[in-house]
Amino acid sequence: MPPLRRSRPGDVAVVLATALAATVALAGCSTGPDDDTLTVLNSATDSHEHAQNQRFFDRCAGPLGVKVQQTSVPADQVSSKALRMASSHSLTDILELDGSEVPQFADTGGLVPLTEAGVETGGLSKSAVTMGSFKGTQYGIARSVNSLALLYNVDLLKKAGVEPPRTWDELKTTAKRLTTGKTYGMAFSATPDADGVYQFLPFFWTTGGNEAHLDDGKGAPALQLWKDLVTAKSASSAVVTWNQQDVNDQFLAGRAAMMINGPWQVPVLNAHKDLHWAVAQIPVPEAGQSAQPPIGGTVMTLPKTGHTSRQRTAAKILNCLNEQRNQIDWGESVNNVPTMRAAAGQYKKQNPKLAAFADEVATARSRTTRVGASWPAVSDALSGAFQSVLTGKSSPAAALKQAQSRATSGK
């Protein structure tokens, strides 16, 4: 799924984490749910995803003699819903969070370390481990993850006589050649929210940008690249208003020959039978480098509810969900890459068209690795930086200097 959007990143999550910790002490005073039904809170509001989730939950819960009941709300409402449930001591046995939220929830002790609960985490990719960890302890496990890649219109590139760009210089040249009439060569999201930041990070990180030190100068070339594409009219100035769905809509309509986007768009792309598309690695500053995009998706955590027997059963369900066969089946059902290294390798063989996504997940990393629970403030600061540069208000260096001040103050 694409990155979580919320109006005030982190505020609700911090309050919720406190409530989770308080729930442990009061759990004995509450009436627990039915012994034969485990509960899950997630964001699987899409009917297909919800049904697929239930299929896998049933597959793993049945042999244990229990059932699983999902409560699904929009992604930006998971935190507030969990807060209300924690306040009434009715929090679910499994809480599925956006990967970027884990540090905020774990910071106040409201989540159970997975190894302590008996959840097996061996064989996971490094990026998947970091996404579910806080201060060296793993609190969440993802069945599959997603990232970003360069998607391109095969017919438009062939007509222009160009290949998918591999470097930033090639990206600028290729995007310019592909720009004609109402079609821009390149499209990306630069909205002042999670979508824009998620799309900026591959460029920022690959050039050496450090979210813990925004003003060290290393991330400025990434801002300049985006500015150059817009100035050359190879990308629309409207990118500052396009979220990732808008970018995909531009691509589908033939108004963008290339775009940065994720595998969650695959079902829509496949529905357009006359569109011939393919996936390549996101261009890098110099030939031979590997792209370093962010890793995205949700992780399953075990809140400290005080119901130890239910927690043990929930841990067994998580172990089952993350067996190789189940990870591959789940990944194919949602067009995401399995997190177990062996499963990811098999998935790549079975889905060659999406191989670039699997390759980039291998080099991707968590948005919270370096800054932990401070990520929401850093994310806001980064979005302000590229918005300022793309709208002509600041130079890259000045924008990142201001971003560091903003991230440090939290305002």
Side-chain angles (χ1 to χ4, degrees), residues 166-167 281 284-291:
R166 295 165 297 178
T167 66
Q281 176 182 279
V284 294
E286 303 291 339
Q289 288 183 290
S290 295

Side-chain angles (χ1 to χ4, degrees), residues 43-76:
S43 59
T45 53
D46 175 79
S47 58
H48 172 75
E49 183 182 356
H50 189 93
Q52 288 297 317
N53 254 320
Q54 195 62 52
R55 180 166 70 90
F56 283 88
F57 280 132
D58 291 346
R59 178 187 293 182
C60 291
L64 300 175
V66 298
K67 299 177 181 178
V68 172
Q69 178 181 323
Q70 298 180 77
T71 297
S72 300
V73 298
D76 59 357

Side-chain angles (χ1 to χ4, degrees), residues 43-346:
S43 59
T45 53
D46 175 79
S47 58
H48 172 75
E49 183 182 356
H50 189 93
Q52 288 297 317
N53 254 320
Q54 195 62 52
R55 180 166 70 90
F56 283 88
F57 280 132
D58 291 346
R59 178 187 293 182
C60 291
L64 300 175
V66 298
K67 299 177 181 178
V68 172
Q69 178 181 323
Q70 298 180 77
T71 297
S72 300
V73 298
D76 59 357
Q77 296 178 25
V78 170
S79 294
S80 57
K81 176 68 173 179
L83 173 59
R84 292 192 297 272
M85 298 178 83
S87 297
S88 61
H89 320 305
S90 60
L91 194 60
T92 54
D93 301 295
I94 297 172
L95 174 61
E96 191 164 2
L97 301 170
D98 181 83
S100 65
E101 291 182 317
V102 171
Q104 299 166 67
F105 279 65
D107 195 25
T108 53
L111 301 177
V112 181
L114 294 186
T115 54
E116 179 182 308
V119 178
E120 299 169 6
T121 59
L124 288 170
S125 66
K126 181 180 179 180
S127 56
V129 171
T130 61
M131 186 173 74
S133 298
F134 177 65
K135 293 184 177 180
T137 299
Q138 191 169 353
Y139 294 94
I141 187 168
R143 291 177 286 171
S144 66
V145 290
N146 58 62
S147 192
L148 296 167
L150 180 77
L151 288 87
Y152 61 93
N153 185 311
V154 173
D155 295 333
L156 291 181
L157 266 68
K158 183 178 180 180
K159 182 179 179 181
V162 295
E163 296 291 328
R166 295 165 297 178
T167 66
W168 286 7
D169 285 342
E170 290 179 4
L171 173 60
K172 289 191 284 188
T173 300
T174 302
K176 189 67 175 176
R177 289 186 61 177
L178 289 167
T179 300
T180 177
K182 295 182 178 181
T183 300
Y184 288 96
M186 181 67 173
F188 54 88
S189 170
T191 48
D193 56 20
D195 271 11
V197 173
Y198 198 68
Q199 294 225 338
F200 180 62
L201 285 176
F203 301 97
F204 181 74
W205 280 341
T206 308
T207 195
N210 184 344
E211 60 271 32
H213 302 285
L214 299 174
D215 57 351
D216 65 5
K218 295 181 180 179
L223 285 173
Q224 190 62 54
L225 172 67
W226 272 19
K227 179 65 173 176
D228 289 346
L229 287 167
V230 172
T231 300
K233 300 189 186 307
S234 298
S236 172
S237 59
V239 295
V240 295
T241 67
W242 289 348
N243 61 31
Q244 294 187 104
Q245 186 57 55
D246 296 327
V247 171
N248 196 56
D249 290 343
Q250 295 294 317
F251 186 75
L252 291 171
R255 292 191 291 268
M258 301 184 293
M259 69 170 176
I260 301 298
N261 229 312
W264 52 86
Q265 305 291 9
V266 169
V268 178
L269 293 170
N270 282 339
H272 289 70
K273 303 301 182 183
D274 57 341
L275 175 64
H276 303 124
W277 59 275
V279 186
Q281 176 182 279
I282 294 176
V284 294
E286 303 291 339
Q289 288 183 290
S290 295
Q292 190 170 73
I295 192 168
T298 60
V299 298
M300 290 187 177
T301 68
L302 300 175
K304 288 184 177 179
T305 62
H307 298 289
T308 55
S309 63
R310 300 176 64 83
Q311 180 182 297
R312 286 193 294 270
T313 303
K316 292 178 181 179
I317 290 176
L318 295 191
N319 285 335
C320 173
L321 292 173
N322 287 286
E323 291 175 355
Q324 180 168 330
R325 178 176 69 93
N326 286 334
Q327 274 212 355
I328 294 172
D329 288 351
W330 172 253
E332 290 182 332
S333 71
V334 294
N335 296 297
N336 278 356
V337 181
T339 55
M340 303 295 290
R341 291 189 296 271
Q346 186 61 37

